[in-house]
Amino acid sequence: MARTILLRGALSGALLLAVLCVFAGPKDKEPAPRFNAVTTTGEKYTNDSIKGKVVLLEFWTTWCGYCADEAAFVDKIGHELADKGLVLLAIDVGESKKTVKKYLEQHPRNCKIVMMEDTNLAAMYQATVYPIYVVIDRDGFIAGTQRGAGGEGTLRRLIGRAGLESPEDSDSDSN
């Protein structure tokens, strides 16, 4: 009797596991969370205002060495693909405007800067390690996320997942 109960329990568990595996298969794209962001120059961005654009969110800090190392090619990609519909928002996480302003005087950026207090994005994407890159496609879905530095080629491939190919894709694998 105990063996029968054990066997039925094991079979029920196996069946439940099989059902869970079916539902855990490939998911549809996840929509980007509703957000608002204001750049240091006063430009406002929301889910509605980015429709039809590919958006690269870069979460960074002034003390992050990897962020500093990658800033030049992040800005280069942002500038290079702007006319193809890329919007680059560099979100500084957890630092004062004074600290960021002083840093940017020494290390200028060629992109739109957003302070953490001017957006709800840092909390939504659990920005706790840096840099973090999130790409939102033209339809408002998350095309990909990268936590940590990966080099220029990796970032170009991530943006490519949103359908925005870089002209230098084949040349940028060295980073």
Side-chain angles (χ1 to χ4, degrees), residues 1-11:
M1 173 117 170
R3 188 181 302 179
T4 304
I5 292 172
L6 187 59
L7 185 58
R8 284 184 183 162
L11 286 174

Side-chain angles (χ1 to χ4, degrees), residues 44-163:
K44 295 179 182 180
Y45 291 89
T46 65
N47 299 71
D48 293 334
S49 71
I50 64 164
K51 278 283 193 205
K53 305 256 185 213
V54 172
V55 179
L56 171 60
L57 304 174
E58 174 198 18
F59 296 94
W60 66 287
T61 66
T62 61
W63 51 263
C64 168
Y66 295 110
C67 300
D69 291 345
E70 295 200 349
F73 71 74
V74 171
D75 287 357
K76 178 178 92 173
I77 291 169
H79 180 71
E80 173 187 302
L81 298 177
D83 63 342
K84 293 183 179 181
L86 181 70
V87 174
L88 167 58
L89 298 177
I91 299 116
D92 177 82
V93 181
E95 298 180 293
S96 71
K97 288 184 180 186
K98 181 180 177 182
T99 298
V100 173
K101 182 180 178 192
K102 186 175 180 179
Y103 176 84
L104 292 173
E105 286 170 0
Q106 301 297 315
H107 311 276
R109 296 287 311 264
N110 184 22
C111 63
K112 299 169 189 325
I113 304 292
V114 176
M115 301 299 296
M116 191 171 94
E117 63 261 20
D118 295 327
T119 186
N120 54 353
L121 285 165
M124 291 179 175
Y125 289 103
Q126 301 164 352
T128 56
V129 297
Y130 310 101
I132 297 173
Y133 302 102
V134 177
V135 177
I136 301 171
D137 70 16
R138 295 179 192 279
D139 296 320
F141 291 94
I142 298 172
T145 301
Q146 177 183 317
R147 296 178 83 76
E152 184 174 351
T154 301
L155 185 56
R156 287 181 182 279
R157 284 187 291 279
L158 184 68
I159 294 168
R161 290 174 62 184

